[in-house]
């Protein structure tokens, strides 16, 4: 019997701080700060190799389109689809049906419109063959 390799996180998109122990455990090669809240951005993240700071104009444009604050996942999907990537595999993006890994709040306690995000991603899936939903 062969053993499956542990998944590797190459890029880590964040909208909240990450404890040092978690950063070390995950060991991403690149951190993307997606939040519009710049005051939450810590020095270690901002000075990490390959650091990416998501433009506020992109955040505001997606917020306007969705009618609510976009989730980190929605921002990342939208950003990646504007690139020349060959394929985008989506795993675990279920529009908050299974809650979030980064908090304990329910969907009615967060400032996102998950139905609008599901509709947006559904449109991407229907029109962009590069997306694979797993």
């Amino acid at each position: 019997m062969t053993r499956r390799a542990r998944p590797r996180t190459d890029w880590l998109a964040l909208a909240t701080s990450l404890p040092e122990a978690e950063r070390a455990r995950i060991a991403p090669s690149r951190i993307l700060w997606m939040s519009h809240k710049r005051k939450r951005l810590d020095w270690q993240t901002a000075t990490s190799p390959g650091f990416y700071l998501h433009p506020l104009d992109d955040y505001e444009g997606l917020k306007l389109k969705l009618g609510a604050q976009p989730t980190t996942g929605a921002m990342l999907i939208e950003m990646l689809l504007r690139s020349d990537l060959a394929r985008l595999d989506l795993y675990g993006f279920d529009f908050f049906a299974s809650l979030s890994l980064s908090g304990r709040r329910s969907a009615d306690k967060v400032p996102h419109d998950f139905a609008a995000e599901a509709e947006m991603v559904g449109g991407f899936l229907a029109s962009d063959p590069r997306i694979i939903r797993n």
Side-chain angles (χ1 to χ4, degrees), residues 19-39:
E20 174 56 34
E22 280 299 287
R23 183 189 316 266
R25 182 186 67 77
I26 297 168
S29 63
R30 184 171 199 177
I31 297 176
L32 298 84
W33 185 259
M34 305 302 287
S35 178
H36 63 290
K37 297 178 180 177
R38 304 305 204 229
K39 68 181 178 183

Side-chain angles (χ1 to χ4, degrees), residues 21-81:
E22 280 299 287
R23 183 189 316 266
R25 182 186 67 77
I26 297 168
S29 63
R30 184 171 199 177
I31 297 176
L32 298 84
W33 185 259
M34 305 302 287
S35 178
H36 63 290
K37 297 178 180 177
R38 304 305 204 229
K39 68 181 178 183
R40 292 185 180 177
L41 177 57
D42 64 277
W43 179 253
Q44 184 177 3
T45 298
T47 58
S48 63
F51 173 73
Y52 169 83
L53 182 62
H54 196 64
L56 288 175
D57 287 346
D58 290 357
Y59 166 83
E60 291 296 338
L62 191 53
K63 181 180 177 183
L64 187 61
K65 179 179 179 177
L66 296 170
Q69 290 182 22
T71 61
T72 302
M75 287 188 285
L76 191 60
I77 290 168
E78 193 268 341
M79 178 193 81
L80 291 170
L81 290 177

